[in-house]
Amino acid sequence: YAAEKVRSGDWAEGEALARSRESLDGLLPRGIETLDNHLFAIVGPDGESVGMLWFAVKERSGSRIAYVYNIAIDPRFRRQGHAERAFDALAHEARRLGLEGIGLHVFGHNRGARSLYEKLGFEATDITMFKPLDDADP
């Protein structure tokens, strides 16, 4: 997360690790026992852990939703359908919990993740853009 925030230009490299830890501590003050937070291992067909998914129950426009804070697939297992399966399972779990949708944030530079989310039916709801200026710009 810290590296992605640096890459996106949101945080300076020297402060990123401390800020990401602070953010995580704020979101999970009681660790995995934090109310309305759900952390799951993503398991491959042979029973091996291939990644993880973390979502929290949040409110959006008066509706309760599953907000995905993190999905991570071990690089050795990427592009094998594990993330898609995880989102299918998440949709099932969200319905079981009576939630009305799934939300998430994706960094603009993460084209692979954006492509996956669009394939799964996610739509952009808010887009922040940035253009760096140099001396050659008018």
Side-chain angles (χ1 to χ4, degrees):
Y1 180 66
E4 293 296 320
K5 291 295 266 183
V6 169
R7 185 171 177 200
S8 71
D10 289 333
W11 294 347
E13 190 169 355
E15 68 183 21
L17 191 55
R19 288 185 72 173
S20 68
R21 285 183 178 144
E22 181 181 308
S23 178
L24 183 61
D25 289 345
L27 293 170
L28 288 171
R30 296 187 59 219
I32 63 172
E33 300 300 322
T34 302
L35 185 65
D36 288 333
N37 282 262
H38 306 267
L39 290 92
F40 294 93
I42 300 170
V43 178
D46 61 357
E48 183 176 15
S49 178
V50 299
M52 63 81 64
L53 183 135
W54 165 27
F55 78 90
V57 176
K58 297 286 181 187
E59 187 172 315
R60 179 178 188 267
S61 300
S63 297
R64 289 174 14 120
I65 66 162
Y67 186 86
V68 177
Y69 278 111
N70 194 14
I71 180 166
I73 305 296
D74 184 307
R76 297 173 296 151
F77 300 104
R78 290 184 184 160
R79 310 263 185 278
Q80 297 177 24
H82 298 299
E84 274 189 66
R85 284 187 312 99
F87 274 99
D88 286 346
L90 171 57
H92 178 78
E93 180 68 5
R95 284 185 191 96
R96 188 187 72 75
L97 294 171
L99 306 179
E100 296 182 41
I102 302 169
L104 54 81
H105 168 270
V106 62
F107 288 100
H109 61 262
N110 192 341
R111 296 189 188 281
R114 289 173 47 199
S115 177
L116 171 67
Y117 300 147
E118 288 169 0
K119 176 182 171 185
L120 295 175
F122 287 84
E123 298 178 3
T125 58
D126 185 81
I127 299 173
T128 301
M129 300 178 87
F130 177 76
K131 176 186 175 184
L133 299 178
D134 60 28
D135 293 337
D137 286 327

